[in-house]
């Protein structure tokens, strides 16, 4: 029972048997603590349980927690590889009591485990207690039977544990293991304590207090938090002194020996150890959603990766190395941490990409470094300017430069490095203020410079804690926002998505005791600053305040669906219409998605239906939506769709979903797009996509709008209801409705025609009304008639008929429409046109009708007039004219 995996299981089983709930490790990026960069102790995930803020349905827990100590209060990065026990990543085994047992049982459980279950000899063990903690002293004596000289009182902060500047804390008691007198060193508290002989293996913290910024408060109930680094206890149980000699590290180091062909001995030993350690932290961080970047957590990851990669280079590795070691890591640790298995591809790709890119500048940077330090000897110092140039131009993090000079005992002028960095920022500031940006934009730029880019947690979580870094109201920074006030909030980290790439910003809540803030929008400013638009509903917002952040979950869920569906519709459009389809614009809101694309003509119904079918096929695959980080060129080469004219960083997120079913692409990934948005986990989460409109936005640009999930269903429900209403009105089933409507339309057409014919007949004197009256005026036969409801198009035909009836004469037809307007047609038989012109007559008539003009030929003319009530006056005027000829 001495392998790391066995020790972990034994620890968890032992406490489980003693009434402890086995709880999964919390993520490396803490969600419940804005002050922590990375999880650094087992108690992190229980912070709010200790303080009483959060309730769980157990009061005893046991975990094996992933920890990273590389940045923040606990930072071990610089020492890794050169000491026996420093790691950037390690696992902490721990048992916890939340107001359940306290010192006595904690000591008893710990002592039984190490001496009975783990079988360590009592003679090798000694413990420390906090100087004033007589109770712990007495309990160790009673329970462990240790002599007083083996219970050492320590007055310093070594025996008072706190997670950070604030949070739960308390006195602690540590168990030490004596590795034997062949190693130099003395017990804790002795002048030789810094030696390597006595090693702390377990820390029992008697959690009693909560440190706030202002004071130290008593916890509601005394609690227990213990932490045992698995690497240390494994070293003890495997009879080795150096953590890097335990089975787990041996396996990783042997993988890097195989991959490089360089044995882990002499100068190469430290490099192999650095690589093994950094492989673990990098891989676990990537699995927990951190990706390399130049800001915040992403930069810590980049520093760790590049430090490891320089050592790979030192070992003479000709190609990128670290990604080749991922399978060995997954073999060793994947059973205990399945997230490693799930993220294996992403980890390997991310490592390979980073190493490929870094290698391009690494060699030249090292050349510069060698040149700049050629004249320096041990104890010398590299100037800050050169260190900055290495950072800025060659991508050398400061600690990598320090690490590279360590073997030669050369240091770096860190202040000079800082000054050079400051100067560059000042230049950028000057360039910015000269660029004439708006007042608020200048505020964002200043805030970005002061606080750095906001760490975005929203790919992984919709709730987290964050600290207020800055507040803005009326275009200027402010100290506070009071209840009722609106303004903008900058946080150190946020789960709120800032509007970009067509996806709208998140809304939600920010809460602290006595403080409630509504988030109405989130936007991205100044290249990575997340700006939350807020209204304070209760209490006051101040810089430094820690807030619980809650994205509106239902809204974000709908947004995710619409964003993922946009990708599917995009690809389906390309499949159906052709690859000339390129994105011209997009809007992803919780209600709907809108997608503009290049295409010359309207889509027909069949095309729309096929696009919808293809997109829904991928939804039904319920395929996982995968996101990876790629070099932009590689991504585009792999076929990922990018926006033309869009500026992308060198590395981009690439979102893929589904497997193509048709054509040449069958079997390959369906949709592959460069995208920074948030997406569903599996395509099935979208539920359904329904296109609801298609139209033109500009020449050669079409727009489709679509709905997903419950919005799509509500739309179809409404359509269905409408259909049933129609069927109800038609008194038929829905299936027969279309035929019934077609029949009604046909019938209506027939009836309209019949009605028009009847009216014409009536107008021409047919039917019961008798023949149209014919008058003699000025020697002309005149047939004049005012009619209603005749289609104006028919008037000329009717006038022709009338002429035929007359043989020789003049015809005047005035039709008065429903709206009261009149149309007039005058006609003159050919034999009379040299005496009277239809055009003259129509003008006279039109004038009487309140109109003007009109036109035609001498034998037939037409005009209109607004005043149909004057029809008789028009006829009279024409007759008067004829009478006067
Ligand atoms: N929190 C303590 C530590 O990290 C015990 O778990 O050492």
């Amino acid at each position: 029972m001495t392998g790391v995996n066995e020790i972990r299981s034994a620890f968890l089983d032992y406490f489980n048997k003693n009434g402890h709930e086995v709880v999964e490790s919390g993520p490396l990026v803490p969600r419940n603590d804005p002050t922590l960069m990375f999880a650094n102790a087992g108690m992190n995930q229980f912070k709010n349980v200790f303080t009483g803020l959060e309730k769980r349905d157990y009061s005893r827990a046991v975990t094996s927690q992933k920890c990273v100590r590389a940045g923040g209060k606990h930072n071990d990065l610089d020492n890794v590889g050169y000491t026996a026990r420093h790691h950037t990543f390690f696992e902490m085994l721990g048992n916890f009591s939340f107001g359940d047992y306290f010192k006595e049982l904690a000591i008893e459980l710990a002592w039984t485990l190490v001496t009975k279950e783990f079988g360590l000899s009592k003679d090798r063990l000694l413990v420390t207690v906090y100087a004033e903690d007589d109770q712990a002293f007495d309990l160790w004596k009673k329970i462990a039977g240790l002599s007083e000289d083996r219970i050492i009182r320590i007055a310093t902060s070594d025996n008072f544990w706190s997670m950070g500047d604030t949070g739960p804390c308390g006195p602690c008691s540590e168990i030490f293991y004596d590795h034997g007198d062949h190693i130099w060193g003395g017990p804790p508290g002795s002048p030789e304590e810094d030696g390597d002989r006595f090693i702390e293996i377990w820390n029992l913290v008697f959690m009693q207090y909560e440190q706030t910024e202002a004071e130290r408060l008593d916890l509601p109930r005394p609690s227990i938090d213990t932490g045992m680094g698995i690497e240390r206890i494994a070293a003890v149980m495997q009879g080795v002194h150096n953590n890097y000699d335990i089975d787990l590290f041996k396996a990783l180091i042997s993988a890097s020996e195989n991959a490089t062909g360089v044995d882990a001995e002499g100068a190469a030993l430290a490099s192999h150890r650095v690589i093994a350690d950094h492989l673990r932290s990098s891989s676990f961080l990537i699995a927990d959603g951190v990706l390399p970047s130049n800001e915040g957590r992403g930069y810590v990851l980049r520093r760790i990766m590049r430090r490891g990669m320089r050592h790979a280079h030192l070992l003479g590795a000709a190609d990128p190395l670290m990604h080749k070691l991922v399978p060995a890591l997954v073999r060793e640790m994947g059973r205990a941490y399945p997230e490693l298995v799930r993220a294996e591809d992403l980890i390997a790709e991310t490592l390979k990409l980073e190493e490929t890119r870094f290698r391009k500048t690494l060699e030249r940077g090292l050349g510069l470094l060698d040149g700049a330090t050629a004249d320096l000897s041990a104890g010398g110092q590299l100037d800050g300017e050169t260190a900055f140039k290495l950072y800025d131009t060659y991508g050398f993090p400061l600690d990598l430069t320090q690490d590279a000079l360590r073997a030669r005992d050369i240091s770096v002028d860190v202040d000079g490095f800082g000054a050079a960095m400051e100067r560059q920022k000042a230049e950028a500031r000057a360039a910015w203020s000269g660029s004439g940006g708006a007042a608020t934009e200048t505020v964002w730029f200043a805030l970005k410079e002061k606080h750095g880019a906001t760490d975005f947690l929203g790919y992984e979580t919709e709730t987290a804690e964050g600290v207020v870094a800055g507040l803005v109201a009326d275009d200027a920074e402010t100290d506070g926002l009071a209840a009722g006030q609106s303004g903008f909030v900058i946080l150190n980290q946020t789960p709120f998505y800032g509007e970009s790439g067509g996806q709208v910003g998140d809304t939600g809540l920010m809460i602290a005791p006595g403080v409630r803030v509504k988030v109405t929008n989130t936007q991205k400013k100044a290249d990575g600053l997340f700006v939350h638009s807020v209204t304070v509903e209760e209490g006051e917002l101040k810089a430094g305040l820690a807030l619980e952040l809650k994205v509106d979950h239902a809204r974000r869920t709908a947004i995710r669906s619409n964003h993922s569906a946009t990708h599917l519709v995009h690809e389906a459009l390309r499949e159906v219409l052709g690859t000339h389809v390129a994105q011209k614009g997009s809007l992803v809101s919780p209600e709907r998605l809108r997608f503009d694309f290049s295409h010359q003509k309207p889509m027909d119904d069949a095309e729309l239906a096929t696009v919808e079918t293809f997109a829904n096929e991928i939804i039904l695959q319920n395929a996982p939506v995968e996101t990876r980080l790629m070099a932009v060129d590689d991504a585009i080469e792999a076929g990922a769709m990018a926006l033309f004219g869009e500026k992308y960083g060198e590395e981009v997120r690439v979102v893929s979903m589904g497997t193509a079913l048709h054509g040449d692409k069958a079997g390959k990934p369906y949709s592959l797009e460069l995208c920074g948005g948030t997406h569903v986990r599996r395509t099935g989460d979208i539920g359904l996509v329904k296109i609801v409109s298609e139209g033109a936005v500009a020449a050669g640009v079409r727009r489709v709008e679509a709905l997903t999930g419950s919005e799509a269903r509500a739309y179809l429900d409404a359509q269905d209801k409408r259909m049933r209403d129609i069927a109800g009105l038609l008194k038929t089933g829905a299936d027969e409705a279309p035929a019934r409507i077609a029949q009604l339309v046909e019938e209506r057409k027939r009836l309209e025609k019949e009605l028009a014919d009847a009216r014409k007949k009536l107008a021409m004197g047919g039917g019961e009304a008798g023949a149209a009256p014919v008058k003699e005026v000025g020697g002309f036969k005149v047939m004049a008639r005012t009619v209603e409801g005749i289609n104006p198009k028919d008037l000329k035909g009717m006038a022709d008929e009338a002429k035929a009836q007359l043989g020789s004469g003049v015809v005047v037809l005035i039709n008065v429409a429903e709206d009261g307007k009149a149309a007039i047609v005058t006609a003159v038989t050919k034999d009379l046109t040299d005496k009277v012109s239809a055009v003259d007559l129509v003008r006279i008539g039109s004038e009487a009708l309140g109109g003007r003009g009109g036109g035609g030929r001498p034998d037939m003319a037409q005009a209109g007039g607004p005043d149909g009530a004057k029809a008789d006056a028009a006829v009279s005027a024409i007759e008067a004219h004829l009478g006067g000829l």
Side-chain angles (χ1 to χ4, degrees):
M1 201 255 312
T2 58
V4 166
N5 284 320
E6 294 157 305
I7 294 171
R8 189 188 305 108
S9 305
F11 187 92
L12 297 175
D13 287 351
Y14 169 79
F15 280 102
N16 187 230
K17 267 189 248 131
N18 283 288
H20 292 65
E21 178 88 9
V22 181
V23 178
E24 248 187 68
S25 169
L28 276 174
V29 177
R31 310 250 161 96
N32 61 349
D33 197 309
T35 61
L36 270 186
M37 185 157 233
F38 298 119
N40 64 11
M43 54 75 63
N44 296 154
Q45 66 167 315
F46 302 117
K47 188 189 89 171
N48 295 335
V49 187
F50 284 119
T51 57
L53 215 71
E54 188 189 334
K55 296 265 169 297
R56 302 258 174 131
D57 50 13
Y58 44 82
S59 59
R60 298 177 178 196
V62 61
T63 64
S64 125
Q65 171 68 43
K66 306 177 277 190
C67 297
V68 164
R69 291 189 177 174
K73 180 175 159 89
H74 301 272
N75 182 2
D76 291 340
L77 182 60
D78 295 347
N79 289 317
V80 170
Y82 308 107
T83 65
R85 265 166 296 280
H86 281 108
H87 306 285
T88 55
F89 174 92
F90 64 97
E91 290 174 78
M92 188 180 280
L93 301 171
N95 57 295
F96 306 90
S97 145
F98 312 116
D100 188 291
Y101 57 86
F102 197 44
K103 288 183 196 177
E104 181 159 8
L105 187 56
I107 291 174
E108 199 176 307
L109 285 168
W111 190 252
T112 309
L113 180 75
V114 285
T115 56
K116 302 267 163 42
E117 301 280 326
F118 287 175
L120 303 191
S121 154
K122 180 178 158 187
D123 302 339
R124 292 271 193 163
L125 299 170
L126 63 161
V127 300
T128 61
V129 295
Y130 191 52
E132 294 144 36
D133 195 350
D134 295 333
Q135 196 194 6
F137 187 95
D138 293 343
L139 285 168
W140 278 117
K141 212 160 103 179
K142 182 178 111 190
I143 294 164
L146 287 172
S147 57
E148 295 201 354
D149 62 322
R150 298 175 77 86
I151 308 171
I152 302 162
R153 291 179 188 264
I154 303 281
T156 65
S157 61
D158 279 358
N159 276 55
F160 192 93
W161 198 86
S162 41
M163 178 188 90
D165 295 335
T166 58
C169 56
C172 61
S173 186
E174 297 181 325
I175 304 178
F176 279 75
Y177 183 80
D178 178 0
H179 274 268
D181 58 13
H182 59 291
I183 296 164
W184 180 83
S190 73
E192 300 84 30
E193 67 174 0
D194 286 340
D196 243 2
R197 174 172 166 187
F198 294 88
I199 299 300
E200 178 221 328
I201 53 167
W202 203 349
N203 184 13
L204 316 185
V205 184
F206 309 126
M207 287 287 193
Q208 272 171 285
Y209 309 111
E210 180 184 4
Q211 184 70 48
T212 68
E213 266 166 29
E215 54 192 340
R216 185 175 285 175
L217 307 167
D218 282 334
L219 285 183
R221 284 173 305 169
S223 297
I224 291 294
D225 150 36
T226 85
M228 174 196 280
I230 202 169
E231 298 78 5
R232 292 185 179 201
I233 187 71
V236 167
M237 292 174 70
Q238 293 175 23
V240 294
H241 181 246
N242 190 306
N243 286 3
Y244 288 92
D245 291 332
I246 63 175
D247 61 329
L248 168 60
F249 277 110
K250 276 206 274 199
L252 297 181
I253 289 172
S254 125
S256 81
E257 285 179 319
N258 286 339
T260 55
V262 179
D263 289 342
E265 53 190 33
L269 183 60
S271 290
H272 280 293
R273 288 176 174 172
V274 169
I275 290 167
D277 174 275
H278 292 8
L279 172 73
R280 292 212 306 164
S281 43
S282 305
S283 301
F284 274 93
L285 283 171
I286 294 167
D288 275 357
V290 183
L291 291 172
S293 76
N294 288 331
E295 304 271 0
R297 295 187 173 97
Y299 192 55
V300 176
L301 169 60
R302 171 158 285 164
R303 279 161 52 201
I304 295 173
M305 289 164 91
R306 293 196 168 181
R307 196 168 178 272
M309 288 159 187
R310 186 187 74 88
H311 282 278
H313 178 80
L314 267 185
L315 291 179
D319 305 311
L321 169 73
M322 285 180 69
H323 72 101
K324 295 184 195 154
L325 312 179
V326 174
L329 176 67
V330 172
R331 217 164 30 242
E332 291 300 314
M333 302 191 73
R335 284 263 300 276
Y337 299 97
E339 61 268 40
L340 276 187
V341 182
R342 285 197 293 271
E344 181 166 357
D345 291 347
L346 177 68
I347 295 168
E349 281 172 23
T350 308
L351 285 168
K352 187 169 177 194
L353 171 66
E354 182 76 10
E355 198 161 350
T356 308
R357 283 194 48 209
F358 185 46
R359 277 175 167 267
K360 291 194 184 137
T361 54
L362 177 64
E363 209 138 339
R364 278 187 293 138
L366 288 173
L368 176 78
L369 185 61
D370 285 346
T373 56
D375 297 336
L376 296 177
S377 46
Q381 193 175 57
L382 174 71
D383 64 289
E385 283 295 331
T386 307
F388 181 71
K389 184 163 185 203
L390 284 167
Y391 161 82
D392 197 36
T393 314
Y394 298 95
F396 279 37
L398 178 62
D399 39 45
L400 185 150
T401 304
Q402 291 170 318
D403 189 44
L405 295 174
R406 183 183 179 118
R408 290 168 57 202
D409 195 19
I410 294 172
S411 63
V412 178
D413 174 8
V414 176
D415 291 342
F417 176 87
M421 173 95 92
E422 197 34 59
R423 200 189 53 234
Q424 193 195 48
K425 281 187 180 171
E427 280 165 15
R429 196 167 33 224
W432 170 262
S433 40
S435 71
T440 0
E441 298 301 313
T442 314
V443 173
W444 304 139
F445 186 79
L447 279 166
K448 160 80 191 301
E449 205 179 88
K450 201 162 9 153
H451 304 291
T454 315
D455 231 331
F456 178 58
L457 309 177
Y459 292 123
E460 305 289 321
T461 179
E462 291 175 6
T463 56
E465 286 190 14
V467 179
V468 177
L471 295 163
V472 171
D474 302 325
D475 291 355
E477 256 202 276
T478 172
D479 293 339
L481 284 179
Q485 263 190 296
S486 295
F488 303 99
V489 184
I490 312 298
L491 304 161
N492 64 334
Q493 57 183 18
T494 185
F496 287 89
Y497 183 82
E499 177 180 342
S500 50
Q503 183 178 328
V504 299
D506 278 333
T507 63
L509 281 178
M510 299 179 172
I511 300 171
V515 180
R516 195 182 153 89
V517 178
K518 206 165 109 187
V519 182
T520 52
N521 194 9
T522 310
Q523 292 197 299
K524 261 160 80 173
K525 303 280 184 189
D527 198 15
L529 193 71
F530 283 61
V531 177
H532 308 82
S533 309
V534 298
T535 302
V536 181
E537 295 187 328
E538 216 182 290
E540 191 181 0
L541 263 187
K542 279 190 164 321
L545 185 70
L547 292 162
E548 214 181 313
L549 312 168
K550 293 184 180 175
V551 173
D552 181 334
H553 170 71
R555 185 172 175 276
R556 166 74 91 73
T557 304
I559 293 174
R560 284 176 194 277
S561 283
N562 283 338
H563 203 153
S564 301
T566 304
H567 288 207
L568 296 182
V569 168
H570 184 180
E571 184 56 34
L573 284 167
R574 290 168 63 86
E575 220 183 329
V576 173
L577 303 178
T579 48
H580 63 276
V581 166
Q583 176 169 342
K584 289 289 174 200
S586 129
L587 175 73
V588 179
S589 76
E591 292 83 24
R592 58 176 53 213
L593 67 93
R594 201 173 78 192
F595 186 73
D596 297 348
F597 57 99
S598 46
H599 185 56
Q600 290 300 335
K601 48 180 205 274
M603 290 176 68
D604 62 29
D605 287 349
E607 287 169 337
L608 282 169
T610 315
V611 166
E612 215 174 81
T613 303
F614 285 0
N616 280 296
E617 277 173 358
I618 307 298
I619 292 175
L620 285 176
Q621 282 179 351
N622 198 22
V625 175
E626 282 165 356
T627 305
R628 56 198 52 186
L629 199 66
M630 293 176 86
V632 69
D633 301 343
D634 293 349
I636 289 169
E637 193 171 322
M641 279 183 291
L643 282 184
F644 294 111
E646 184 84 350
K647 198 170 148 280
Y648 292 103
E650 284 175 45
E651 285 166 353
V652 287
R653 293 177 75 91
V654 176
V655 178
S656 66
M657 46 187 108
T659 305
L661 297 168
H662 320 280
D664 296 345
K665 268 181 75 175
K668 300 215 179 96
Y670 186 68
S671 159
L672 204 62
E673 266 192 59
L674 267 53
C675 180
T678 60
H679 288 274
V680 295
R681 299 222 177 282
R682 305 187 77 96
T683 55
D685 300 345
I686 300 170
L688 167 75
V689 62
K690 175 77 201 151
I691 297 176
V692 294
S693 78
E694 191 273 346
V697 253
V701 181
R702 310 292 305 172
R703 165 174 296 175
V704 287
E705 292 190 303
L707 306 174
T708 63
S710 44
E711 290 287 342
R713 222 180 70 83
Y715 172 87
L716 293 174
D717 271 355
Q719 294 282 70
D720 187 48
K721 163 132 194 346
R722 222 166 285 143
M723 190 61 235
R724 276 180 288 120
D725 288 349
I726 291 170
L729 288 171
L730 294 170
K731 301 206 178 1
T732 174
D735 287 349
E736 292 82 42
R740 181 84 187 99
I741 290 173
Q743 190 191 353
L744 285 176
V745 169
E746 242 346 278
E747 227 168 271
R748 188 190 152 113
K749 257 197 226 152
R750 189 172 52 77
L751 289 174
E752 273 173 354
K753 184 159 184 325
E754 273 177 28
L755 183 62
D757 288 349
R759 280 190 172 143
K760 270 197 291 189
K761 227 179 194 164
L762 203 60
M764 300 312 297
E768 283 167 29
V774 179
K775 274 192 195 167
E776 277 279 333
V777 184
F780 301 103
K781 275 200 275 181
V782 178
M783 186 195 274
R785 191 105 217 207
T786 301
V787 295
E788 280 171 17
I790 300 283
N791 190 338
K793 282 190 297 195
D794 290 342
L795 284 179
K796 280 185 174 175
M798 286 162 67
D800 276 338
E801 260 176 57
K803 276 201 285 187
Q805 266 181 37
L806 283 178
S808 166
V810 174
V811 178
V812 179
L813 279 178
I814 301 176
N815 179 54
V816 182
E818 251 173 60
D819 60 3
K821 287 187 185 154
I824 174 167
V825 169
T826 55
V828 176
T829 50
K830 273 264 180 305
D831 55 321
L832 302 176
T833 46
D834 50 350
K835 297 198 185 92
V836 54
S837 162
V839 177
D840 294 342
L841 298 181
V842 94
R843 286 215 179 108
I844 292 163
S846 157
E847 225 160 80
L849 293 164
R852 209 182 299 153
R857 294 183 327 237
D859 63 334
M860 175 87 69
Q862 67 175 354
D867 198 353
K870 300 270 169 60
D872 290 344
V875 173
S876 304
I878 291 170
E879 286 176 352
H881 175 77
L882 291 171
L885 284 177

